[in-house]
Amino acid sequence: MRLLALALFLILSEKAYTEELTWEQVIDDSKTAEKEIQDEILDGSDTAVYRVTSRCNNPDTAGTYLQIKLFDISSLRTVIYHDLQCNGVDEIQYSKPFIPENDKHTFRVYGEVGTNFTIKYDLLQTNIKLDNQEGKTSGVVSYKSMMVKSFKVSEDDIESSSDWSYIQIWAESNDDNKFFDPLKTGDLDHRLVGRLMVTNNSANLQSFYSNPNAALDGALRLSFSTFGMITLSVASVPKISSGEWYIAVVMDDRFGETRDKAVEITVKVRTDYEYTSEIGILFAVSLLGIIIPFLARAIFDVENMHFEDLKFKCWLETIKNWFWSGKKGLTYLTLLLACLLIVSAFQVVHAKYADMQESGDRDICFYNEKCYRPYLDHYDVSVNGVASNLPFMVHGVILVIYFSISEAYCRSRGHGNEDHKYFDYSIPYSFGLAFICEGFGSLLYHICPSQIIFQFDTLFMFVISIIMIIAIFEGYSIRDQDIRISTIASHKAIRTPKVFAFFIGPVYFFNFIGNLIATEGLPIQFVTVFYIIFALWWIGILLWAAYKLDLWPDSLNPKHVDVIEVDAAVKGTDVIETDGPVELPKSMSFIKGRRAKVVKSIMFLLYCCVVAAGFVLALLEKLSFSIFILGVLIFGQIVLTMVFFIPTIWVVLRHFVNLPVQLANHKIAVSKHFFVLFGVVVYVLLGCVVVVISLVFFTVFSVTDKSIYPWRSREQNSPCYLGNFYDTHDFWHLFASFALMMMAMVVVQISKPCRMCYLEYLKKSRDRIQTVKNLKNMKSGAAAAGAVMKFKKAGKKSPTTPSSATNGAEPEQQVSVGTENPTYTNVVLLEDAVETDAAA
């Protein structure tokens, strides 16, 4: 059955005008030999090429040459001219495509007397007829042979109401849905690799056959196993134009394959190409990100939603302070890093892209050829891959504007005024800038996607992940502008220069060298030293993380403090009053208590195992170096977020001290807090869903793989989906941006950029909780008084008194709620403000 299918395929695939004929002769005394051949006509519009296989049969004349010439008798136009070495090896030559018109051609051979030679020749059809701007043909590429096809494009084919037209030429093989290839081996490492070339210069055909890997002027080429596509556009080299175009397919001789390969070639002309509406839709969808920061504020910081008091003048003052004053060291250094690296990245990417353009080698850049949409006449790149990074930039701008409004809110509330004593938005602004820079970095990467360029795509992913980790520790650290009252913090905040010197800088360096080792290869001595340094750096980072998580014994902690004294300058002020050293609130025992240490130790050991496993996989080149570093950073950030997000949930849960009493007296307040609790659950679940969807698009529906051979990567190419414009990788960009934005808002809440706002939030929460307790105690007292009256009427002694009904507790003074400028008495920074006794 397979033999029958192969025979049918060979019959229907490539047609020859004439059967292969053989001419064998010995050169006579005239030192020449001639033979006249007659062309045959099938269709005057079809083009054809002569394929000539010649061999010198005299092994004793090695080192001498024969000159073989095939020319048109009527026009004397030379079709083939070749110097054949007498070594007994067959050499194949192809003529330029022409239209046979019943002409006669003549072979003329020059050489030494007595030299015996054999010439086999046939006339092969090359024309692909375009029906409704699409045409197909098929054939078999043999070892040391070439399939040649051609198609003609008229001005009418590429002209339309739009200036954007392009032609796609693709070759397919080993695709059972299209046709049967009996030579398919199924071995992933031993595929039949072919080379596809498209050119409008017929002189390139023979050059391509002689050396398929050589750069040719005015030709595009690539390697493929099952699929490969070349797109001609106004930005490609050669540029799309009317006239005759030629397609050539040969076997890739770098792998020593001698088997035949069945190939199907398709040509499709596309016109009226327009993408502004698709980009506009993506921009509109990205603007939905405006909802996320305000939704997060309504859920996690509901008491600080009074923006009606915010003046536009105050916001302008905040914008001015971006450049004039304020503590934004991390923001400025992030911007500096972006300027330096994006400029450097563009130079590297543009050089690699220019190399692809000049050489015509499409194997240099890894595109999803099945969803390739050219970008006008500016860059021969896929515009959908570039434009899909728009959500990162839009969300970055949204975050910067939102955090500027938040900072202006703090300023309008008088939280420090010019000295910024109680708020620091350096980290939140850094998130916004890092998002924008990630969009630019990924955009540059998609100009020429490849393994070595991938570092620019992941660079600001590293920055975002590291800033998130720093922000989480920042929320429970002492900042320079803090009044020293935080009992939760036993460490100072991480200095901005240290973030770049010990985290971002080394990560960028290791990522670059790791990718260089994977792509170019370096001496083993250098690689060994590199991995030793890399391992030592990781050990240092893990020890630092253990120190920050309070996992070091106190005897080994040089900065250990039992209690942080309150700064004397604070006492007596209307900000915070305290009677002495602040003790750790019970509500925070899960962060610094014994159980917390066990949980954090387990999570830390798990993280160390993940780092070790990833390090080994990267060392064995089973895992991309960039993916390894990014993966462990994201995993660490997720673990820290889970641990330190608990206080935020706890503050919400503390509102429901005595639900029946609250429902009876404060239904509106309870409904609001139920909404907050519901919002927290929905926000977290929705964030997890978006993260999972983005990871599925990135891993399961990957459209390329830059760590393998180009032809292997093209096997993963997938067609466009939404609007015949965006592929699954573009969806990864969209969902990843939303997922990172949602995660960034949670991390910002943990970092507490405006600690005074947070104190006000907790103060109001404490007041409400105290009010509920007072109501409960009042009801208990009323119930006890009623019992006394009953006993008195019955003439019996009361077994209890109102004071005993309260378990010996002293009457608590009711605290008013909603005061504009509350006085904080015995209120410590952070969650201590909501601490209530165990009986509550």
Side-chain angles (χ1 to χ4, degrees):
M1 194 68 184
R2 288 196 171 193
L3 292 177
L4 180 61
L6 175 60
L8 182 62
F9 179 82
L10 293 176
I11 291 173
L12 297 178
S13 58
E14 182 177 271
K15 177 177 179 181
Y17 280 9
T18 60
E19 297 182 358
E20 186 176 66
L21 301 177
T22 303
W23 172 37
E24 184 173 356
Q25 190 169 330
V26 178
I27 295 181
D28 56 21
D29 294 340
S30 65
K31 296 186 177 183
T32 60
E34 285 192 4
K35 181 178 178 61
E36 185 178 286
I37 57 177
Q38 178 72 44
D39 300 339
E40 293 187 8
I41 300 177
L42 182 63
D43 185 343
S45 63
D46 284 343
T47 58
V49 295
Y50 267 112
R51 178 174 61 188
V52 177
T53 305
S54 52
R55 181 179 71 248
C56 183
N57 301 321
N58 293 52
D60 55 339
T61 59
T64 61
Y65 289 84
L66 294 178
Q67 292 180 342
I68 300 176
K69 184 178 182 181
L70 176 64
F71 60 92
D72 186 341
I73 294 178
S74 59
S75 64
L76 298 181
R77 180 177 65 89
T78 300
V79 177
I80 292 178
Y81 182 86
H82 176 53
D83 289 331
L84 175 66
Q85 186 176 6
C86 290
N87 54 10
V89 178
D90 287 346
E91 296 188 20
I92 302 177
Q93 296 291 314
Y94 290 85
S95 69
K96 297 179 180 180
F98 65 99
I99 299 178
E101 297 177 343
N102 201 22
D103 294 333
K104 294 182 179 180
H105 285 78
T106 298
F107 275 112
R108 182 172 296 170
V109 182
Y110 303 89
E112 297 294 331
V113 177
T115 303
N116 179 270
F117 64 88
T118 301
I119 294 179
K120 298 179 181 180
Y121 58 93
D122 53 0
L123 193 61
L124 304 178
Q125 176 186 358
T126 64
N127 189 57
I128 300 176
K129 295 181 179 180
L130 301 181
D131 185 14
N132 293 325
Q133 297 184 329
E134 183 174 357
K136 291 186 178 182
T137 187
S138 56
V140 174
V141 183
S142 304
Y143 173 63
K144 289 191 174 180
S145 70
M146 178 172 63
M147 177 195 298
V148 179
K149 299 296 179 181
S150 63
F151 63 93
K152 185 174 289 187
V153 179
S154 65
E155 289 289 343
D156 294 335
D157 290 331
I158 59 176
E159 282 186 354
S160 65
S161 58
S162 169
D163 294 332
W164 308 334
S165 302
Y166 61 98
I167 303 174
Q168 291 182 319
I169 304 98
W170 66 88
E172 294 179 288
S173 183
N174 293 343
D175 188 348
D176 295 333
N177 295 325
K178 295 235 179 240
F179 55 92
F180 176 72
D181 185 355
L183 305 172
K184 181 179 178 181
T185 64
D187 187 345
L188 297 180
D189 295 325
H190 295 83
R191 287 170 170 79
L192 293 173
V193 181
R195 299 282 294 179
L196 171 68
M197 182 199 69
V198 177
T199 182
N200 58 357
N201 183 3
S202 60
N204 287 329
L205 293 173
Q206 186 60 41
S207 301
F208 177 68
Y209 173 74
S210 301
N211 187 359
N213 301 308
L216 300 173
D217 185 26
L220 293 171
R221 67 190 194 282
L222 55 78
S223 59
F224 71 98
S225 57
T226 62
F227 172 83
M229 176 184 288
I230 290 176
T231 301
L232 299 173
S233 66
V234 292
S236 62
V237 181
K239 186 180 296 187
I240 184 175
S241 62
S242 59
E244 195 83 18
W245 289 85
Y246 310 102
I247 306 169
V249 180
V250 299
M251 297 298 295
D252 198 322
D253 56 3
R254 292 176 296 178
F255 303 97
E257 283 290 350
T258 59
R259 296 172 291 169
D260 295 344
K261 183 177 182 65
V263 178
E264 183 180 77
I265 295 177
T266 304
V267 178
K268 186 172 182 62
V269 180
R270 298 182 183 271
T271 58
D272 294 326
Y273 171 50
E274 194 271 333
Y275 54 74
T276 53
S277 60
E278 281 77 8
I279 297 178
I281 293 173
L282 180 65
F283 179 75
V285 173
S286 302
L287 287 178
L288 295 177
I290 296 174
I291 301 173
I292 294 177
F294 291 97
L295 178 63
R297 191 179 187 97
I299 293 174
F300 303 120
D301 200 7
V302 66
E303 301 296 346
N304 289 300
M305 288 292 292
H306 307 291
F307 288 109
E308 62 272 8
D309 297 332
L310 179 61
K311 305 296 184 189
F312 182 71
K313 181 179 179 181
C314 188
W315 182 74
L316 290 179
E317 184 73 16
T318 301
I319 301 299
K320 186 194 77 171
N321 283 338
W322 284 0
F323 311 98
W324 187 259
S325 64
K327 299 179 182 296
K328 296 181 178 63
L330 187 61
T331 307
Y332 298 150
L333 282 179
T334 302
L335 184 60
L336 176 63
L337 179 72
C339 295
L340 294 176
L341 292 182
I342 287 179
V343 170
S344 301
F346 181 76
Q347 293 173 345
V348 175
V349 172
H350 190 272
K352 203 167 184 66
Y353 168 80
D355 184 23
M356 180 195 71
Q357 289 288 86
E358 293 174 4
S359 64
D361 188 1
R362 302 289 291 186
D363 285 349
I364 294 177
C365 303
F366 290 63
Y367 300 108
N368 178 17
E369 308 286 359
K370 287 186 179 180
C371 188
Y372 186 90
R373 301 294 179 261
Y375 178 42
L376 291 179
D377 58 346
H378 304 294
Y379 275 98
D380 188 14
V381 299
S382 184
V383 66
N384 52 320
V386 172
S388 62
N389 296 286
L390 187 63
F392 288 107
M393 304 179 193
V394 173
H395 291 166
V397 173
I398 290 173
L399 287 177
V400 170
I401 295 176
Y402 167 75
F403 291 131
S404 69
I405 296 174
S406 298
E407 184 179 3
Y409 175 84
C410 294
R411 187 183 300 277
S412 66
R413 302 282 290 182
H415 296 165
N417 296 324
E418 295 301 326
D419 57 0
H420 302 267
K421 184 176 273 188
Y422 301 113
F423 61 89
D424 181 1
Y425 279 84
S426 180
I427 287 179
Y429 284 133
S430 299
F431 277 129
L433 288 178
F435 268 65
I436 297 172
C437 295
E438 169 57 27
F440 277 108
S442 184
L443 182 151
L444 292 176
Y445 161 74
H446 284 84
I447 291 178
C448 183
S450 61
Q451 180 68 25
I452 195 65
I453 302 297
F454 187 55
Q455 60 181 310
F456 301 119
D457 186 20
T458 56
L459 173 60
F460 279 94
M461 282 290 189
F462 298 155
V463 174
I464 293 173
S465 299
I466 292 173
I467 292 178
M468 283 188 176
I469 293 173
I470 301 303
I472 293 171
F473 285 118
E474 179 86 0
Y476 298 94
S477 301
I478 301 173
R479 297 195 290 245
D480 290 341
Q481 69 272 26
D482 283 337
I483 307 173
R484 302 193 58 191
I485 54 177
S486 176
T487 60
I488 299 168
S490 58
H491 304 281
K492 287 187 176 182
I494 304 171
R495 303 286 184 180
T496 298
K498 290 183 178 179
V499 174
F500 286 83
F502 299 117
F503 294 92
I504 296 177
V507 163
Y508 179 60
F509 170 77
F510 291 130
N511 181 51
F512 170 72
I513 299 298
N515 282 287
L516 197 62
I517 293 172
T519 54
E520 305 295 333
L522 294 173
I524 187 63
Q525 298 86 350
F526 180 87
V527 173
T528 302
V529 173
F530 167 76
Y531 275 108
I532 291 174
I533 296 175
F534 187 49
L536 292 175
W537 177 79
W538 263 117
I539 292 172
I541 293 298
L542 293 175
L543 290 174
W544 171 87
Y547 168 71
K548 285 293 183 180
L549 291 171
D550 292 315
L551 298 180
W552 281 24
D554 294 341
S555 58
L556 298 179
N557 187 350
K559 297 182 180 180
H560 173 71
V561 287
D562 294 322
V563 174
I564 300 177
E565 297 288 347
V566 178
D567 200 346
V570 182
K571 293 187 177 183
T573 65
D574 59 352
V575 180
I576 293 179
E577 294 182 4
T578 180
D579 296 329
V582 179
E583 297 179 357
L584 179 67
K586 296 175 183 177
S587 60
M588 297 303 298
S589 60
F590 51 81
I591 289 184
K592 297 187 69 176
R594 245 181 234 174
R595 293 179 183 176
K597 209 160 196 177
V598 173
V599 173
K600 289 191 288 187
S601 298
I602 294 173
M603 300 301 288
F604 178 73
L605 289 175
L606 175 62
Y607 183 68
C608 290
C609 292
V610 171
V611 172
F615 184 87
V616 172
L617 291 175
L619 183 63
L620 299 176
E621 297 185 1
K622 299 294 184 182
L623 183 67
S624 168
F625 210 85
S626 296
I627 297 299
F628 158 60
I629 297 178
L630 184 60
V632 295
L633 285 175
I634 292 178
F635 182 76
Q637 168 220 318
I638 291 174
V639 169
L640 287 173
T641 303
M642 291 172 59
V643 173
F644 289 98
F645 185 59
I646 297 175
T648 303
I649 304 295
W650 181 251
V651 169
V652 177
L653 293 177
R654 296 287 292 175
H655 287 287
F656 307 103
V657 177
N658 194 317
L659 195 55
V661 176
Q662 286 180 296
L663 289 174
N665 296 275
H666 300 283
K667 290 183 179 180
I668 297 178
V670 172
S671 61
K672 180 175 71 172
H673 291 114
F674 263 120
F675 167 77
V676 171
L677 180 60
F678 176 75
V680 169
V681 175
V682 172
Y683 188 93
V684 172
L685 291 179
L686 184 61
C688 292
V689 169
V690 175
V691 169
V692 170
I693 292 175
S694 63
L695 291 177
V696 167
F697 277 124
F698 182 72
T699 56
V700 179
F701 298 105
S702 176
V703 295
T704 58
D705 187 348
K706 291 81 182 174
S707 63
I708 57 179
Y709 289 117
W711 59 87
R712 291 279 302 277
S713 176
R714 291 190 177 94
E715 294 176 7
Q716 300 182 20
N717 288 178
S718 63
C720 300
Y721 292 99
L722 184 61
N724 196 30
F725 187 77
Y726 295 111
D727 60 18
T728 54
H729 189 75
D730 301 326
F731 291 136
W732 144 253
H733 287 164
L734 179 64
F735 283 95
S737 184
F738 275 100
L740 283 173
M741 193 179 192
M742 296 182 73
M743 194 175 298
M745 291 309 302
V746 173
V747 171
V748 168
Q749 178 65 22
I750 296 174
S751 71
K752 305 172 184 64
C754 180
R755 297 196 170 179
M756 204 62 190
C757 297
Y758 195 64
L759 273 174
E760 289 184 353
Y761 172 62
L762 296 179
K763 173 65 169 59
K764 293 177 182 179
S765 299
R766 189 197 66 167
D767 291 346
R768 287 195 176 95
I769 293 170
Q770 188 65 46
T771 301
V772 174
K773 286 177 60 182
N774 292 338
L775 289 171
K776 179 183 176 183
N777 292 337
M778 290 170 61
K779 288 190 175 183
S780 299
V788 171
M789 293 300 295
K790 283 184 180 180
F791 277 105
K792 285 184 177 180
K793 287 181 180 180
K796 298 180 181 180
K797 187 178 179 180
S798 175
T800 182
T801 62
S803 60
S804 63
T806 59
N807 297 322
E810 295 181 2
E812 300 188 37
Q813 184 180 357
Q814 184 169 350
V815 182
S816 62
V817 181
T819 57
E820 280 297 317
N821 298 302
T823 301
Y824 299 88
T825 305
N826 294 324
V827 179
V828 297
L829 191 61
L830 308 177
E831 280 74 4
D832 195 23
V834 295
E835 180 54 30
T836 58
D837 59 5

